[in-house]
Amino acid sequence: MRTQVVIIGSGPSGLLLGQLLTNDGIDNIILERSSQEHVLARIRAGVLEEGTTAMLDEAGAGERMRREGLPHDGFDMAFDGRRHRVDLFGLTGGKRVMIYGQTEVTHDLMDKRAATGGATVYEAADVAPHGFDSERPYVTYKKDGATFRIDCDFIAGCDGYHGISRKSVPETAIKLYERAYPFGWLGIIAEVPPVGEELIYANHPRGFALCSMRSHTRSRYYVQCSLDDKVDDWSDDRFWDEIRARLPAATAEQMTTGPSIEKSIAPLRSFVAEPLRFGRLFLVGDAGHIVPPTGAKGLNLAASDVRYLFDGLREFYADRSSAGMDAYSQKALARVWKAERFSWWMTSTLHKFPETGAFGQKIQEAELDYLFHSRAASTALAENYVGLPY
Ligand code: FAS
Ligand code: PHB
């Protein structure tokens, strides 16, 4: 079999790239190791930047997001028993974010791909990229006991942090930067109205908490937890008591509690691979970089990677120019590192580290207090949160 672009991974990166390619008449196939149901069962991101929502519109998969998503003009930060609002819209000259779960983004992109005849092989085992340092790359995989080979022009490694693409690159050709954080996030979803109209990020001596949502009737909450914790260590009652203990009293009193319908623990890390291109193989999204979810950047960085790579591939097939592809890694990494910095700063300012102590807590509170007394500081926060330009 032959195609123009083989995409490894059917997460947001792979699906968004695949749809843009299909819409532009560039032949592609997605190879996904899990089942479609398994991919859709993942509960992850919730905040979309305008660049991401614009690309979903461009892909023709934005209609439900526009109908059901919640546009937010700001969010709150809580610390030292008080709350302050970050006026994203006012501070950024009219930009906002969209609250719409990654699960729904994935669903909409899968529906669009099915409607436009895009080929996806689910439960493809032992996917492996080959010959990407030559003019004739190909990908092999196994399914139903048979081995298949797909010859192609390019391979997009959209297979996430644990994927095969990055691991297929010789160690001497890649440099990895990593910082693992000494805590995780315990997240729940509950069919209860969110405690606030907008998101609330909370710094507290007991640890970080985040009040998010998926709709006006479905809440998404997180508390910082130990890496030694297991989901079974956290009953619903313990979770509700702990998140309310980390919020200002007036907010805690307003919180509607109820049974969790999803509960999971995610580790936090900052990670970047350089470069993101190896001949005819490109690393896209989490395959090339990871941010702690504190800045809500992970999914949005995947989208900007897709923008740069799609523009490069479109230019190649339209004009036989490789200028865009040659610039992919440098352009993507420039935006990635700025988001890594912002996500690291949000995580460092809002979480309790082993070394934070009483002095560190006061420094974090002073940093947050300065934010809300300086238009320059809050503008910097706002422009990073809504997403820096592509
Ligand atoms: P993904 O990991 O989403 O998709 C990769 C796909 O490749 C998967 O479907 C996988 O099954 C497949 N794959 C892997 N190996 C393969 C192989 N060898 N062969 C074939 N297929 C293979 N971001 C935020 O902005 N906010 C958040 O709150 C947030 N929370 C997160 C919580 C968790 C637990 C995780 C892991 C991530 C979270 N993220 C969050 C980041 C997340 O949303 C990613 O940025 C986003 O999923 C990136 O999308 P992809 O690059 O497509 O990678
Ligand atoms: C979420 O709603 O899942 C969410 C929102 C903002 C974040 C992280 C996660 O920073």
Side-chain angles (χ1 to χ4, degrees):
M1 179 186 179
R2 159 162 270 283
T3 188
Q4 289 171 297
V5 182
V6 172
I7 298 170
I8 303 177
S10 178
S13 299
L15 287 163
L16 183 56
L17 177 62
Q19 197 54 50
L20 293 172
L21 291 170
T22 296
N23 294 351
D24 204 61
I26 299 171
D27 199 29
N28 64 91
I29 185 169
I30 295 179
L31 302 176
E32 166 57 54
R33 74 174 169 192
S34 302
S35 69
Q36 187 171 13
E37 295 70 28
H38 182 85
V39 175
L40 284 171
R42 292 190 196 115
I43 306 288
R44 287 191 179 167
V47 176
L48 306 183
E49 298 171 356
E50 286 184 348
T52 305
T53 56
M55 284 178 70
L56 288 172
D57 290 336
E58 180 182 340
E63 190 266 334
R64 188 163 71 103
M65 174 268 294
R66 294 293 176 192
R67 193 174 65 244
E68 297 178 9
L70 304 175
H72 278 197
D73 289 353
F75 65 88
D76 276 14
M77 282 219 184
F79 62 98
D80 192 21
R82 49 203 162 112
R83 274 167 64 173
H84 295 269
R85 183 170 186 268
V86 180
D87 175 13
L88 296 173
F89 193 84
L91 289 164
T92 62
K95 291 188 177 183
R96 49 171 53 112
V97 293
M98 179 71 82
I99 304 302
Y100 190 67
Q102 175 174 323
T103 308
E104 310 317 317
V105 172
T106 306
H107 218 298
D108 296 341
L109 285 167
M110 283 180 175
D111 288 350
K112 184 68 180 178
R113 186 165 181 85
T116 49
T120 301
V121 179
Y122 288 101
E123 297 177 279
D126 300 333
V127 176
H130 306 275
F132 46 83
D133 54 351
S134 77
E135 304 271 306
R136 282 174 298 285
Y138 64 97
V139 179
T140 55
Y141 69 94
K142 290 180 182 155
K143 180 138 175 110
D144 302 332
T147 298
F148 299 85
R149 168 176 167 146
I150 306 177
D151 291 281
C152 55
D153 299 330
F154 301 103
I155 305 168
C158 300
D159 48 348
Y161 180 73
H162 299 289
I164 187 64
S165 297
R166 190 182 68 251
K167 294 169 188 162
S168 299
V169 174
E171 284 184 9
T172 53
I174 194 168
K175 184 164 177 55
L176 306 179
Y177 302 83
E178 182 151 20
R179 168 163 298 185
Y181 294 88
F183 40 74
W185 278 18
L186 170 72
I188 73 157
I189 286 193
E191 289 294 351
V192 293
V195 70
E197 288 293 312
E198 298 174 327
L199 272 56
I200 305 170
Y201 289 80
N203 166 289
H204 191 277
R206 296 176 67 92
F208 168 79
L210 171 59
C211 303
S212 183
M213 62 194 76
R214 290 293 178 268
S215 71
H216 294 307
T217 59
R218 175 173 283 200
S219 296
R220 175 65 161 157
Y221 290 126
Y222 298 92
V223 294
Q224 171 186 347
C225 67
S226 163
L227 283 174
D228 299 328
D229 281 357
K230 303 285 179 284
V231 170
D232 292 345
D233 298 333
W234 285 85
S235 67
D236 285 357
D237 286 346
R238 182 186 174 194
F239 180 87
W240 293 118
D241 290 345
E242 189 59 39
I243 193 166
R244 284 182 293 191
R246 298 185 185 184
L247 293 168
T251 304
E253 284 157 21
Q254 293 163 352
M255 184 169 270
T256 306
T257 65
S260 61
I261 59 172
E262 197 276 340
K263 195 183 288 179
S264 55
I265 292 178
L268 274 66
R269 71 166 54 87
S270 299
F271 172 83
V272 180
E274 287 194 1
L276 295 177
R277 178 200 185 174
F278 306 89
R280 301 235 169 177
L281 170 66
F282 298 86
L283 300 183
V284 184
D286 278 18
H289 42 77
I290 296 283
V291 284
T294 327
K297 292 294 152 225
L299 175 53
N300 295 297
L301 282 177
S304 47
D305 287 357
V306 167
R307 173 83 276 161
Y308 302 138
L309 181 56
F310 169 67
D311 289 349
L313 289 166
R314 176 170 53 180
E315 179 191 58
F316 173 81
Y317 285 110
D319 312 328
R320 282 293 179 230
S321 161
S322 65
M325 288 191 298
D326 294 345
Y328 167 74
S329 182
Q330 185 184 352
K331 268 180 96 169
L333 285 169
R335 192 169 193 269
V336 163
W337 274 114
K338 293 185 187 74
E340 290 283 347
R341 181 213 64 82
F342 174 67
S343 304
W344 163 84
W345 175 82
M346 282 279 276
T347 304
S348 304
T349 305
L350 291 170
H351 288 72
K352 180 179 181 179
F353 289 72
E355 68 276 13
T356 299
F359 176 77
Q361 178 63 32
K362 295 299 283 184
I363 292 295
Q364 287 179 339
E365 289 172 5
E367 172 102 29
L368 292 163
D369 196 42
Y370 165 63
L371 262 182
F372 294 102
H373 289 85
S374 161
R375 186 172 178 83
S378 47
T379 301
L381 164 59
E383 68 178 15
N384 278 279
Y385 193 86
V386 298
L388 297 178
Y390 278 20

